[in-house]
Amino acid sequence: MIQTVRGTRDILPEDMPLWRRVEDVAREAFRRYGFSEIRTPIFEKTELFARGVGEATDIVHKEMYTFIDRARADSEGESLTLRPENTASVVRAYIQHKIFADKSPGELTRLYYIGPMFRRERPQAGRYRQFYQIGAEVMGSSDDPAIEAEVIEMLEWFLKELKITGTTLLINSVGEPASRAAYLEKLREAIKPNLDRLCADCHHRYETNALRVFDCKIESCQAVIASLPVITDSLDEASREHFGKFKAHLDARGIAYKVNPRMVRGLDYYTRTAFEIVGNDKLGAQNTLVGGGRYDGLSETIGGPPTKGFGFAFGLDRMVMSLPEDEAGRLRAADAPDVFIVFLGEAARDHAFNVARDLRAAGIAVAMEFEDRKMKKAMTAAAKSRARYALIIGDDEVASGKYGLKNLTAGEQESLTLDEVIAKLS
Ligand code: AMP
């Protein structure tokens, strides 16, 4: 039997109400905060991620699904990659379509996306090779830290609406790339005598971009990592001031946070503010729910005009796992038809098709089986469908134009015309 590829999975119908709920609440948050949706392709030129996300990151170095598109007779074939994240693509679209062009000075562009991402990671609970992200980007000429606080406020509303509790907001500043050189020098000096205690990937990070050592999750590297100087102590003046204002904006909104000076996020494009929201204990080892930060300069890196940017992405998979049990149960139960039609006999069956069509045209969710069954069996099927009501149609009902509407939870039954049924169920 052919099964799903390792690290990918089917999201089955019983879980879809939970996924839809997370998506619906996200769309509502984005509507309230002025974000518009954008969809970008699932695959892009490899160069976009290599330059945007950074060659030294785990994502680009180890995890991308890259392939050479079949060469035409006159070309070599192009290197393409299934997107491992979507910020680089959204910034590319922002540049390619000159979305900034019709904006007044200082006006921001707020975009959001929902879709699958692909990374060749070691699969485990909460970590997949095809996973889904919902993310948002704020781009423009302003780098006001109030933007950052407002986006985090939106996320807080979103989590509250989903009844997800016990999360922690972690923040840090990774400073300006231009003034990072002195710190990186200091960091490399501190790593060098400890290289023999670090993994092969950390050796590579040390050679290519020492900051990425902080992304290492390997247990035996943690003691060395804990002893390294942190970037937060070496911030340039402007970044320090920005970080101070960002924290003040969070305080003013009553948003609780913890500063984690070792959180540098696994992508090279971050400047200044970086943040994560760590989930509650339903998540286990893979407990980062949301990740984001500022990426001023990403546009320039991929050939666009100077642009400031701030954004985040969260894993839909992990957000669904974080929903409380009772909320998940309520969402599954609500995903049922309004009415199940029970018919008795051939003539009633033909009549029932018309009734079903009229109810559906009136916006009512109707379930009906086509097989003629005895009353008891048909009522069992109605209960199994979890419909709120059963509508009973036999020869008498066809003749009188009044149907039996049975409330399947309370048990009581009324005799109603089609219009009355529609009025009751709408
Ligand atoms: P990142 O793009 O690495 O900053 O990740 C942002 C968020 O996407 C994480 O906090 C997770 O919720 C989610 N995520 C990242 N990688 C995976 C994965 N392999 N499987 C499931 N969710 C993921």
Side-chain angles (χ1 to χ4, degrees):
M1 204 228 124
I2 300 171
Q3 301 210 338
T4 46
V5 172
R6 200 168 115 82
T8 72
R9 61 199 182 128
D10 302 309
I11 312 300
L12 295 173
E14 65 250 35
D15 285 329
M16 282 313 298
L18 316 190
W19 284 66
R20 255 194 332 266
R21 171 72 181 156
V22 174
E23 291 180 17
D24 288 348
V25 175
R27 285 185 198 281
E28 179 57 18
F30 292 135
R31 188 188 70 78
R32 292 186 186 198
Y33 282 80
F35 286 76
S36 311
E37 185 168 9
I38 184 166
R39 290 194 190 182
T40 59
I42 302 260
F43 58 92
E44 299 261 7
K45 296 183 179 175
T46 302
E47 196 190 352
L48 174 67
F49 305 113
R51 276 163 62 182
V53 177
E55 297 274 10
T57 60
D58 277 6
I59 294 178
V60 173
H61 179 58
K62 299 195 297 193
E63 297 169 358
M64 293 206 305
Y65 285 97
T66 296
F67 57 98
I68 301 294
D69 198 15
R70 193 185 312 146
R72 290 201 316 259
D74 60 347
S75 76
E76 294 220 306
E78 199 172 16
S79 178
L80 304 179
T81 292
L82 297 185
R83 61 184 188 190
E85 61 99 54
N86 211 28
T87 299
S89 304
V90 172
V91 174
R92 179 204 43 70
Y94 176 79
I95 301 165
Q96 185 174 335
H97 305 285
K98 297 195 169 53
I99 293 176
F100 47 83
D102 57 352
K103 302 273 169 186
S104 45
E107 193 181 339
L108 297 166
T109 300
R110 292 180 169 84
L111 300 173
Y112 79 91
Y113 58 85
I114 301 181
M117 308 294 154
F118 307 84
R119 295 182 195 171
R120 191 184 283 106
E121 294 195 88
R122 196 167 48 79
Q124 63 182 92
R127 189 160 73 190
Y128 310 98
R129 292 182 164 184
Q130 172 170 340
F131 58 100
Y132 296 79
Q133 280 188 339
I134 296 185
E137 316 293 352
V138 183
M139 290 165 289
S141 57
S142 168
D143 63 356
D144 192 330
I147 298 169
E148 300 159 23
E150 188 179 75
V151 166
I152 290 172
E153 175 193 283
M154 173 174 75
L155 281 164
E156 297 261 313
W157 178 85
F158 167 80
L159 291 171
K160 195 160 147 243
E161 193 69 7
L162 288 176
K163 303 192 168 57
I164 295 174
T165 53
T167 59
T168 310
L169 170 64
L170 303 177
I171 62 170
N172 192 22
S173 175
V174 295
E176 289 275 357
S179 53
R180 219 177 268 163
Y183 166 71
L184 287 177
E185 194 57 35
K186 207 157 64 170
L187 184 60
R188 286 170 57 86
E189 262 170 39
I191 296 172
K192 200 171 178 189
N194 292 298
L195 271 174
D196 55 345
R197 292 162 62 204
L198 291 172
C199 69
D201 282 337
C202 280
H203 283 228
H204 176 80
R205 294 170 177 129
Y206 169 77
E207 296 296 338
T208 51
N209 180 354
L211 191 64
R212 299 269 67 91
V213 166
F214 288 103
D215 299 332
C216 187
K217 298 281 184 291
I218 293 185
E219 196 44 51
S220 55
C221 294
Q222 299 310 311
V224 173
I225 291 172
S227 73
L228 298 175
V230 294
I231 194 162
T232 328
D233 292 337
S234 303
L235 288 183
D236 57 281
E237 197 42 48
S239 294
R240 192 188 309 279
E241 193 183 314
H242 186 99
F243 196 43
K245 285 187 184 157
F246 168 55
K247 287 188 284 190
H249 278 293
L250 291 178
D251 292 335
R253 287 168 163 79
I255 297 173
Y257 57 85
K258 282 190 190 144
V259 177
N260 178 355
R262 287 189 176 76
M263 185 202 50
V264 297
R265 312 273 310 122
L267 303 94
D268 277 355
Y269 51 61
Y270 287 122
T271 56
R272 295 188 173 170
T273 310
F275 79 97
E276 282 184 357
I277 298 179
V278 176
N280 55 36
D281 50 15
K282 292 189 71 157
L283 281 178
Q286 298 301 317
N287 66 350
T288 307
L289 258 186
V290 188
R294 175 160 289 289
Y295 49 82
D296 305 342
L298 172 56
S299 168
E300 292 95 307
T301 308
I302 59 175
T307 307
K308 315 279 188 195
F310 179 78
F312 69 83
F314 67 77
L316 201 40
D317 310 70
R318 291 185 199 171
M319 205 56 84
V320 167
M321 284 167 75
S322 306
L323 291 170
E325 283 323 318
D326 51 350
E327 185 68 358
R330 192 186 65 75
L331 292 166
R332 286 196 177 97
D335 189 54
D338 298 315
V339 63
F340 186 99
I341 295 185
V342 169
F343 60 86
L344 302 160
E346 201 54 36
R349 181 176 118 123
D350 288 342
H351 189 85
F353 289 141
N354 294 338
V355 170
R357 182 198 54 210
D358 292 348
L359 291 175
R360 286 169 172 152
I364 294 161
V366 179
M368 178 178 165
E369 298 294 347
F370 297 145
E371 199 182 332
D372 193 5
R373 293 164 166 161
K374 295 266 180 304
M375 182 70 166
K376 197 161 165 226
K377 270 211 156 157
M379 290 307 285
T380 308
K384 207 171 146 221
S385 79
R386 294 180 295 126
R388 281 187 299 143
Y389 291 94
L391 188 72
I392 300 157
I393 307 179
D395 291 340
D396 292 350
E397 284 77 7
V398 174
S400 70
K402 284 195 139 190
Y403 310 101
L405 186 70
K406 182 167 184 170
N407 183 325
L408 290 173
T409 19
E412 75 228 7
Q413 186 168 327
E414 302 172 85
S415 183
L416 301 174
T417 64
L418 185 61
D419 285 346
E420 286 166 344
V421 172
I422 289 173
K424 179 136 189 162
L425 299 187
S426 299

